Structures are given as C-alpha cells and as structure tokens.
C-alpha cells in the first residue's frame, strides 16, 4: 500500500500517527516544509516543499498559499499512484487543494487530520474577519466537502469534534475519530546535570534551581504576559529560570517587558536534540490557550511535555477540556492569564518545595497508561478490522 502524507510542519503528533499506520504501508512519501527528519526512521521518502513562515502574518499566509499550490501541482501529476493520502490543516489551505483534486478525480482515498478548525481559529485571532463573509463561507463549504468525502477524520479533542459537528451536520456521514494529543517517548541518555550544562551553554547563563519551559507560538491565543511580569519580580529572579522557545506576534512585546532580566531567556525553535536537553533538565512546562480556543485547537506540545514527565501549568480556562484533563489527573495546575496574584501565589508555593510538584514518575505514568497506549490501540484496531 502506497501512502502519501502531507503536513507543512511535521511534528511529534504526525510522526506518531505514521507509527500507528506503519504496518499498513509498503511505501511512504511525505510532503513537508520542515520536520522531515522525524519520519526518516520509517523509511519515508521526503518531498521538500515551501516551509512555514511565522515572522509576519503576510509571510505566514504566503507560505500557506505556496505550500498548498505545491501540493496541488504534485498530486495533480502523481496523486493516482497512491492508495491513500493523509493530510492535515497544517497548512490551512491544504483542504482547498484536496477538494479540487478530489472533485476532478485526481485522487480517490484520503483522510483528514484536523489540528485547528478553520475559519473559526481566524475568527478568534482576528474578530473582524468574521465580517468578511463571502470568502469565509466558501472556505467553510470547501472544508465541509472535504470532511464529507474523507475516509476518516481525526481530531485532537472531543470539543473539536463537537464544534465540527455543530457547524455543518450535513457534512458528516461517519463519527469523527478523536486522537488524544500524543508524542513519541523521549530517547535521551544524558543525566539531568549534563542536560543543564548543555542548556546553559545555549543560553549563556547559569540556570536557577527551578526551571520552567515554554515552546510554541507566541501569538495572541497564547498569553504569557502576566507570567513574564511575575517571574521578573525580585522575589523570583534568583530562584526561577523561564526559557521561552518560539516566535510570533507578541515576541517583541515580551522582549520589552522582560528587558534587562537575566532569568528569562528567549530562543528560536530548537532542534530536537537541544529541545530534548531543555525538557530533560526542566522542572515544569507551560501551555497557554486563550479563551474561546479550547474547542477549536489543542496545544500539541502538551503531549511532548508529559512524555518527559514534566508537570504542566496551563494558562487558560480551568473548565476547558485540557484544564479538566490536567486537574483531574493531578499532573499540573491551571491559571487564568489575567490573574497575576494567583500566578505569584503558585510560584511562591513551588520555590524550594519539591513535594508541591508532581513527580516525573506520576506524569510519565499518566502519559503511558492513558495517552499513548489508548491512542495506538485505537488507530491500530480500526485499521486492522
């Protein structure tokens, strides 16, 4: 069975899905802009495409368009030679290409991986966009066509599935398959101390006793403002180090807020070996999700963090699906982005009190018992029926 995977940025989630399907294909090709190294272990043929650009909204949209056009052109020429095509909302315009290719019978069997729900994500990020009615209606109709004709549709949470079903009931002839956000188990042989030394070389500073890490989009849906304001206070500057990896619209604002602070470091997205070292020596991870986003996207880094046994601070809604997951399993804390006092209180409680932090063993146990095995069994069972 020949399979083609399409994803502008291949991350742990997508590579894990490949693993779940690895007994189903004889030949694998992957179209991606970056992250191709994650699928080489499956013997995949990687096809280089335009990479995702995050530095500005203009470059971001242009990279979506160029990637989608590349996909369209490639599949128009070679699509019929594949038995199955699996693509995702990364980038968001992939659905447009797939819809036209299917309509003109250039492809037959395809499956759809929904990371983010468009155009709802756009509405949340830029509220005025909902008044640009005609193009957004067209986009929604195209997306509904794709879902209606997909062999299988994957989402990352029950909330996302419900949002899709409510949006367009006519589009769904089958249940949506909910895949909990997953990640490959970490493979790192270094001790925590060696990892700390590697990270200190990267940032050019000694780490404090308590190390917090955030990696991901620094956009409006991920508000770290009050966390940064808390950590730069004199109360915490000698006890807590915060490492932020990523890029986005709010990066310059965060740099201004933390200017002159030595216990907050900003890094670009890190290569896997460097990122693994950072997570290996960290004590706590950070996930941020703004109000209104809980039912239309799920932070993919969450699974990577817990695979390392890192407890999670969610800056967002404690009543969201992700907030309830963290609280009910006691693998971290939830905080409102706007409540600086509560952020202060939590940080004070964590300094010098190891008992206040869930152990790596407990978090890792949750990851293996309830996350990865459930996901892999579900996909493998469905594909082996």
């Amino acid at each position: 069975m020949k399979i083609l995977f399409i994803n502008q940025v291949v991350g742990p989630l997508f590579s894990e899905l490949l693993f779940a399907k690895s007994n189903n294909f004889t030949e694998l090709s992957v179209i991606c802009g970056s992250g191709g190294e994650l699928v080489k272990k499956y013997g995949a043929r990687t096809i280089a495409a335009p990479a995702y650009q995050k530095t500005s909204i203009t470059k971001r949209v242009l990279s979506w368009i160029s990637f989608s056009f590349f996909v369209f052109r490639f599949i128009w020429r070679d699509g019929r030679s594949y038995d199955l095509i699996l693509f995702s909302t990364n980038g968001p315009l992939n659905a447009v290409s797939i819809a036209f290719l299917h309509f003109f019978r250039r492809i037959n069997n395809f499956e759809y991986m929904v990371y983010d729900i468009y155009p709802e994500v756009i509405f949340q990020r830029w509220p005025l966009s909902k008044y640009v009615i005609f193009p957004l209606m067209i986009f929604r109709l195209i997306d509904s066509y794709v879902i209606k004709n997909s062999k299988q549709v994957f989402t990352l949470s029950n909330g996302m599935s419900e949002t899709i079903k409510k949006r367009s009931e006519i589009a769904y002839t089958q249940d949506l398959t909910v895949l909990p956000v997953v990640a490959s188990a970490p493979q790192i042989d270094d001790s925590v101390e060696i990892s700390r030394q590697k990270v200190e070389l990267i940032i050019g500073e000694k780490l404090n006793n308590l190390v917090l890490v955030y990696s991901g989009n620094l956009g409006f849906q991920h508000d770290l403002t009050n966390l940064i304001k808390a950590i730069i206070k004199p109360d915490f500057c000698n006890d807590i180090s915060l490492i932020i990896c990523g890029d986005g619209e709010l990066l310059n604002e965060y740099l201004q807020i933390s200017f002159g602070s030595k216990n907050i470091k900003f890094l670009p997205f890190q290569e896997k070996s460097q990122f693994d070292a950072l997570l290996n020596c960290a004590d706590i991870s950070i996930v941020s999700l703004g109000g209104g986003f809980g039912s239309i996207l799920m932070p993919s880094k969450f699974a990577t963090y817990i695979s390392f046994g890192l407890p999670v601070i969610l800056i967002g809604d404690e009543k969201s699906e992700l907030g309830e997951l963290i609280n009910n399993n006691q693998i971290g804390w939830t905080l409102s982005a706007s409540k600086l006092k509560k952020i202060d209180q939590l940080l004070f409680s964590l300094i010098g009190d190891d008992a206040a932090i869930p152990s790596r063993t407990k978090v890792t146990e949750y990851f293996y018992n309830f996350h990865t095995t459930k996901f892999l069994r579900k996909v493998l069972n469905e594909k082996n029926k």
Side-chain angles (χ1 to χ4, degrees), residues 13-307:
L13 174 64
F14 206 67
S15 62
E16 193 76 7
L17 188 56
L18 292 184
F19 172 74
K21 292 174 174 288
S22 60
N23 64 334
N24 292 85
F25 56 74
T26 56
E27 183 179 321
L28 171 66
S29 300
V30 179
I31 297 178
C32 60
S34 62
E37 67 278 358
L38 290 174
V39 296
K40 287 182 179 178
K41 59 185 175 182
Y42 304 110
R45 176 175 71 107
T46 56
I47 301 157
Y52 180 42
Q53 303 291 331
K54 282 191 172 184
T55 52
S56 70
I57 184 59
T58 302
K59 289 184 178 180
R60 185 179 301 187
V61 172
L62 289 175
S63 73
W64 290 341
I65 294 171
S66 57
F67 183 82
S68 181
F69 181 74
F70 180 94
V71 168
F72 183 90
R73 187 175 57 183
F74 180 88
I75 297 179
W76 185 271
R77 186 181 66 243
D78 295 332
R80 287 177 175 169
S81 65
Y82 293 97
D83 300 299
L84 176 67
I85 293 174
L86 175 63
F87 75 103
S88 79
T89 51
N90 185 340
L93 299 181
N94 290 344
V96 178
S97 295
I98 295 298
F100 279 97
L101 289 163
H102 182 265
F103 182 80
F104 288 107
R105 302 187 184 280
R106 305 303 296 188
I107 58 175
N108 296 313
N109 297 323
F110 63 90
E111 297 179 356
Y112 191 16
M113 178 77 216
V114 182
Y115 286 113
D116 308 312
I117 299 178
Y118 290 93
E120 280 75 2
V121 169
I122 297 173
F123 294 164
Q124 287 293 331
R125 288 178 179 166
W126 301 287
L128 290 177
S129 65
K130 65 180 64 178
Y131 299 107
V132 188
I133 297 174
F134 183 72
L136 293 174
M137 283 180 60
I138 296 297
F139 188 91
R140 183 173 285 182
L141 287 171
I142 290 173
D143 197 56
S144 295
Y145 173 88
V146 168
I147 292 175
K148 180 179 179 180
N149 290 281
S150 296
K151 282 186 61 182
Q152 194 165 19
V153 179
F154 304 98
T155 71
L156 302 184
S157 70
N158 292 316
M160 291 175 69
S161 292
E162 290 304 312
T163 298
I164 292 174
K165 289 177 180 178
K166 289 177 182 176
R167 187 181 74 182
S168 180
E169 292 181 7
I170 195 172
Y172 305 98
T173 58
Q174 81 276 42
D175 289 334
L176 305 184
T177 302
V178 178
L179 303 179
V181 183
V182 296
S184 300
Q187 296 179 343
I188 186 164
D189 298 323
D190 291 341
S191 67
V192 172
E193 189 55 40
I194 291 176
S195 292
R196 283 181 70 96
Q197 292 172 7
K198 288 182 177 180
V199 172
E200 287 170 351
L201 284 174
I202 294 171
I203 66 174
E205 295 278 352
K206 282 285 185 181
L207 291 169
N208 289 324
N209 290 332
L210 186 67
V211 179
L212 279 59
V213 61
Y214 174 89
S215 179
N217 183 12
L218 300 177
F220 294 106
Q221 71 273 33
H222 305 291
D223 188 358
L224 303 177
T225 304
N226 279 337
L227 177 68
I228 293 172
K229 286 181 177 178
I231 290 178
I232 62 176
K233 290 181 177 179
D235 295 327
F236 304 117
C237 63
N238 294 319
D239 295 295
I240 299 176
S241 292
L242 172 62
I243 312 297
I244 298 175
C245 305
D247 199 355
E249 299 96 335
L250 296 179
L251 175 59
N252 288 334
E253 180 180 328
Y254 294 158
L255 288 170
Q256 290 175 5
I257 294 171
S258 61
F259 181 76
S261 171
K262 291 187 176 182
N263 66 329
I264 297 183
K265 292 296 178 182
F266 292 86
L267 301 173
F269 287 105
Q270 297 295 289
E271 294 180 1
K272 188 176 188 307
S273 61
Q274 296 170 325
F275 189 54
D276 284 354
L278 176 55
L279 296 187
N280 193 42
C281 72
D283 299 291
I284 296 171
S285 58
I286 308 293
V287 171
S288 179
L289 193 58
F293 285 94
S295 62
I296 55 179
L297 59 83
M298 177 72 80
S300 58
K301 284 292 191 302
F302 167 71
T304 304
Y305 294 149
I306 64 173
S307 72

